[in-house]
Amino acid sequence: MTFSISAGCADTGMIGVDVASSSACVAAHVCAGAGAVSTQTITDPRPGPKGQDLMEQGMSATDALEALKKDAPHLEYRQLALVDGRGGVAHFSGAHTLGMHHVIVGEGVVAAGNMLASNAVPNAMVEVFDRTPGQPLGDRLVAAMQAALNAGGKEGSVHSAGMLLARDVAWPVADLRIDWRDDGPTDALGALWERWKPEMEAYVSRALNPSQAPSYGVPGGH
């Protein structure tokens, strides 16, 4: 039903998740902040913010996952992928994870999926991500998702997609969602990212230093 990539950027400190699914509103099941968590298959959204909080308190992705596993209900139905702010990654796939499922990890990146067309899908995501160091994290995640589709994607159609990016402010600097499309949600998400990317840092400036932020010509702007 779902495939995702969670990763950090060593150069900027940014952390992000990109996810696509046959289900609607899939981006509700990812969290990014001091760490990133993707919770998928027969989804319980609760481990997302809890895992993020644990990593914000200083836990590694591995330790946060172990803490989640101690009290997460029905864990055998869940698939989790985590990345922390130091580039550590961790993952778990329960015994009842749906269909063909697979996880691949790299340096500061983890790709996971269930009901996959083949095990090549997560491999393709990490390979593309690893080939693009120095590019903006959002670009790398979007490229990885396209690689997943090129490798076959998942069984059935993809209907929703989302991307969260976080850095050293208290809110996601990108929170992009395609909640439902009959076709092409990942392409639509990529186009939305291209629309948002040039303005992303300006909106951070608007919050932190509004006197220096561009107005973009909106009513009441300076």
Side-chain angles (χ1 to χ4, degrees):
M1 296 175 73
T2 305
F3 52 91
S4 66
I5 181 167
S6 307
C9 176
D11 294 333
T12 64
M14 191 174 286
I15 291 176
V17 187
D18 201 336
V19 57
S21 180
S22 58
S23 301
C25 308
V26 68
H29 306 313
V30 299
C31 288
V37 184
S38 177
T39 171
Q40 52 199 54
T41 196
I42 302 175
T43 307
D44 179 358
R46 292 172 292 181
K50 184 173 181 179
Q52 180 184 336
D53 288 345
L54 291 171
M55 288 185 284
E56 189 172 7
Q57 295 166 20
M59 278 193 182
S60 67
T62 299
D63 290 342
L65 177 60
E66 290 305 310
L68 291 174
K69 288 165 63 176
K70 287 178 181 178
D71 60 5
H74 311 297
L75 194 65
E76 66 273 20
Y77 293 94
R78 319 301 185 199
Q79 188 177 45
L80 305 174
L82 299 81
V83 60
D84 62 44
R86 297 177 293 278
V89 298
H91 61 88
F92 172 82
S93 297
H96 296 310
T97 300
L98 296 172
M100 181 178 292
H101 56 90
H102 196 48
V103 181
I104 291 292
V105 301
E107 188 68 30
V109 59
V110 53
N114 56 81
M115 291 190 70
L116 296 169
S118 79
N119 285 346
V121 173
N123 300 61
M125 297 168 79
V126 172
E127 286 175 4
V128 167
F129 185 86
D130 285 344
R131 288 203 302 266
T132 53
Q135 294 186 15
L137 182 60
D139 289 357
R140 301 174 76 187
L141 296 179
V142 167
M145 294 302 282
Q146 187 59 54
L149 292 177
N150 293 343
K154 56 174 293 301
E155 296 181 14
S157 300
V158 173
H159 290 299
S160 68
M163 182 167 68
L164 275 173
L165 300 177
R167 35 159 282 201
D168 56 347
V169 292
W171 62 91
V173 295
D175 185 356
L176 310 180
R177 300 172 60 122
I178 305 298
D179 282 341
W180 183 265
R181 280 177 66 105
D182 288 331
D183 55 43
T186 55
D187 289 340
L189 183 69
L192 185 59
W193 165 242
E194 290 301 322
R195 174 65 182 83
W196 176 246
K197 180 170 58 173
E199 299 182 9
M200 182 172 69
E201 293 302 329
Y203 276 88
V204 175
S205 296
R206 283 183 165 198
L208 300 181
N209 191 3
S211 66
Q212 301 299 316
S215 67
Y216 289 110
V218 298
H222 58 276

